Amino acid sequence: MKSRFSLATFSLAAGLANAALPLPNPPWMPPPVSFGTQRSSQRSTSSQQPNAQWSTLVGDLLYFYEAQRSGNLPSTNRVSWRNSSATSDGADLGLDLTGGYYDAGDYIKCTYPMSWAMTSICWGAIDYGQGYDQANQTPYLDDMLRWGLDWLIKECRSAHPDPNTLVVQVGDGNVDNDYWGGDQGIASPRPSFVINATHPGTDAASSVAAAFAACSALYGSSTPLASGSTPASLRDPAYAQTLLTHANQLFSFATNTPFQTYQTDVPAVADVYASSGYASDVVLASLFLSLAGNSSSFFNLAGSYYSDFSMSITDTTLNWDDKSPAIPVLFTQLLTQRQDISGGSQDDLDTWRGRAERFFDRILDGKSRGYLTEGGLLFYDGDSNDASLNPALNIAMIMLRYAPLASSSQKTSDYEAFAKGQLDYALGKNPMNVPYVVGVNPNSPLNPHSAAASGGDDIGDIDSSPVDTLNVIYGAVLGGPDPHDRFYDIRSDWPETEVALDYNAPMLTLAAMGVSKFSDDPYYTSLEDGAYASVKPSGTPCDEAFPCEDGLSRGATIAIAVVITPVGLVLIGFLARSFMLRRAQRAKNKSIV
Ligand SMILES: *[C@@H]1O[C@H](CO)[C@@H](O)[C@H](O)[C@H]1NC(C)=O
Ligand SMILES: *[C@@H]1O[C@H](CO)[C@@H](O)[C@H](O)[C@H]1NC(C)=O
Ligand SMILES: *[C@@H]1O[C@H](CO)[C@@H](O)[C@H](O)[C@H]1NC(C)=O
């Protein structure tokens, strides 16, 4: 016990020693929307590498995370309209849990989806990290990651000598959902919810272990994980070691206590991000631990867990809840790029490639649960009914990463074309002519569901108080269009307009790939000014924020019935409150479909 405590204390001290990269002075700031209309071919430096448009997009996407910061903001804060906030988080447990990031358009901090966002970003910065370097955004990547990782370290260690403790949420979903306003009046109380040895959560503990391990690998080694790129230039061996220590401890907590989802014993999180399982979290954490520690035993353990859990990845999607489709892709990367860890057996490679390609081919052949909307967006009933872009972008992210490792050149080009098509869709090549990123083009959405950005404080009149959004939350990826490719740009319409940590993550990796890999600009540079205005639908959408008689998907209809009954709301009441139950429904849709 004592030695474990000393080790943790030592690592924490090492981690907080500030070895962060210096930030540019003057700081990089997002350019005005007009910049996003300049095609590279129209600029004097036409064949400019790196591509300035992709580089700027990387900068914007990172800037979004800065706008989501909680706690005491540093002097380097670039988001002038944000203030220090929630500065007594953790006080209920006698802990300092200040810092970290607000999850979405409101003010709670959610460990489980946030740790997936961190995992995904660190993975992308390992295999396509050169894009951050070329875009001169690596210091901001470093700053962004440390803001999240240092908070996760507090969550599992702050004043806790017991390695079997992890804070899984700060803020009560129901209290928080009754508040709409700025960062100075955030609703309280803000209770902290924990898992521990007697009330474990295999999914949350493994997911945070995966984030620590993936980011440890990024900080610890410059060995490539993709041919033709290198990790972002972030080496900090002491920090890498701190992260690895925490990853190991959390993983042993996850796998030496009874296996169960974290909401089993902490029901409060079920109102926010209930998870449907832990298998993919455990396997992904083992794989990233193998990468971070150069450990073939963790690599073999990942394979054993995959079999023990009888996992199958034919028809799942990829999001904060389920990471299964990422698993064969990372296995393939390790088997081809890191034979020192994986052994590189041809049999294993055939197996994992086969699994990856079956998953991708089913999507391409139209045989998966996901289908293409008329406008071409990969859509999963239930998973895509709010935040439709998220499953599509997550799958595009792993497909593009996998493409060069495919078993034939035909597959390589098919995967590249499909994945790039999803990215193009998200960046404006869609029936609405909308790039679903705030502030990158004149056709970008104007009404993100972000309380802080909106400038409003009237929960009864989110849409017109104020009419015009006060603060541009540059770089925020929004939920996305409905199943008919329609987008209404209504602030209270959280399924389409909310912002979130995990929505930005896959776009960030894709944009980093774009900096050095894509020959063309982001699609939005070719949109005419007013292209969205000319096709924008009138009226209101037909979704969980604006339920309507016909056209509501079956998944959504059932979810409403399920939500209303236990909560005891009548339908009228539900209409007004619907956005407040956003995440709960997200989870419920998921478990119903
Ligand atoms: C930050 O504080 C200023 C001054 O009190 C306030 O006007 C502004 O609305 C705050 N920002 C947010 C996002 O609440
Ligand atoms: C363990 O976690 C449960 C569930 O969150 C909590 O009620 C309990 O107080 C925790 N135990 C300790 C010793 O912190
Ligand atoms: C793992 O191996 C890589 C490449 O050989 C090396 O750069 C890195 O420092 C090693 N990491 C650890 C934790 O041993």
Side-chain angles (χ1 to χ4, degrees), residues 255-326:
T255 53
N256 290 318
T257 50
F259 281 44
Q260 61 179 27
T261 57
Y262 77 131
Q263 72 267 16
T264 309
D265 283 350
V266 189
V269 301
D271 292 339
V272 182
Y273 283 101
S275 104
S276 63
Y278 46 75
S280 64
D281 293 301
V282 175
V283 177
L284 201 64
S286 317
L287 282 178
F288 278 118
L289 276 160
S290 81
L291 179 62
N294 295 328
S295 159
S296 46
S297 48
F298 269 117
F299 181 84
N300 295 332
L301 188 63
S304 310
Y305 274 124
Y306 185 90
S307 312
D308 292 352
F309 293 138
S310 307
M311 288 186 73
S312 136
I313 49 163
T314 37
D315 250 347
T316 63
T317 183
L318 176 61
N319 59 18
W320 60 271
D321 181 33
D322 191 345
K323 294 94 186 179
S324 319

Side-chain angles (χ1 to χ4, degrees), residues 72-363:
N72 289 301
L73 302 185
S75 60
T76 49
N77 169 41
R78 292 177 293 167
V79 187
S80 60
W81 45 271
R82 280 301 321 284
N83 308 286
S84 294
S85 61
T87 51
S88 41
D89 279 359
D92 60 319
L93 298 182
L95 303 178
D96 170 12
L97 297 175
T98 59
Y101 293 104
Y102 296 125
D103 167 62
D106 42 23
Y107 297 103
I108 53 175
K109 302 194 290 197
C110 304
T111 307
Y112 188 53
M114 180 206 163
S115 58
W116 161 239
M118 302 297 287
T119 303
S120 154
I121 293 168
C122 283
W123 187 7
I126 294 170
D127 56 9
Y128 290 96
Q130 216 169 291
Y132 291 96
D133 289 355
Q134 292 178 342
N136 290 324
Q137 288 292 334
T138 301
Y140 290 110
L141 171 69
D142 180 43
D143 197 40
M144 179 271 160
L145 292 173
R146 285 174 194 264
W147 193 264
L149 294 166
D150 287 349
W151 180 71
L152 289 174
I153 291 173
K154 285 182 177 183
E155 280 204 311
C156 64
R157 284 303 169 272
S158 181
H160 271 300
D162 177 4
N164 293 334
T165 303
L166 174 70
V167 179
V168 289
Q169 189 177 309
V170 179
D172 178 320
N174 295 312
V175 172
D176 189 70
N177 280 333
D178 286 334
Y179 175 69
W180 178 263
D183 58 19
Q184 299 305 281
I186 297 175
S188 56
R190 288 174 62 80
S192 315
F193 299 96
V194 302
I195 52 173
N196 51 39
T198 53
H199 299 77
T202 321
D203 41 12
S206 301
S207 180
V208 178
F212 282 143
C215 298
S216 172
L218 170 64
Y219 280 98
S221 168
S222 51
T223 309
L225 191 57
S227 57
S229 185
T230 50
S233 304
L234 280 178
R235 296 304 80 66
D236 182 344
Y239 197 51
Q241 185 53 52
T242 301
L243 296 172
L244 185 57
T245 301
H246 292 311
N248 275 307
Q249 290 180 345
L250 274 177
F251 189 77
S252 87
F253 167 36
T255 53
N256 290 318
T257 50
F259 281 44
Q260 61 179 27
T261 57
Y262 77 131
Q263 72 267 16
T264 309
D265 283 350
V266 189
V269 301
D271 292 339
V272 182
Y273 283 101
S275 104
S276 63
Y278 46 75
S280 64
D281 293 301
V282 175
V283 177
L284 201 64
S286 317
L287 282 178
F288 278 118
L289 276 160
S290 81
L291 179 62
N294 295 328
S295 159
S296 46
S297 48
F298 269 117
F299 181 84
N300 295 332
L301 188 63
S304 310
Y305 274 124
Y306 185 90
S307 312
D308 292 352
F309 293 138
S310 307
M311 288 186 73
S312 136
I313 49 163
T314 37
D315 250 347
T316 63
T317 183
L318 176 61
N319 59 18
W320 60 271
D321 181 33
D322 191 345
K323 294 94 186 179
S324 319
I327 289 168
V329 175
L330 185 52
F331 261 112
T332 305
Q333 284 188 312
L334 292 169
L335 283 160
T336 53
Q337 313 292 319
R338 292 300 303 270
Q339 300 184 0
D340 55 323
I341 297 171
S342 65
S345 123
Q346 186 63 44
D347 280 358
D348 284 357
L349 181 57
D350 291 344
T351 302
W352 288 108
R353 255 193 189 142
R355 287 175 177 145
E357 294 184 7
R358 244 188 329 277
F359 177 78
F360 292 138
D361 290 345
R362 283 173 64 86
I363 294 173

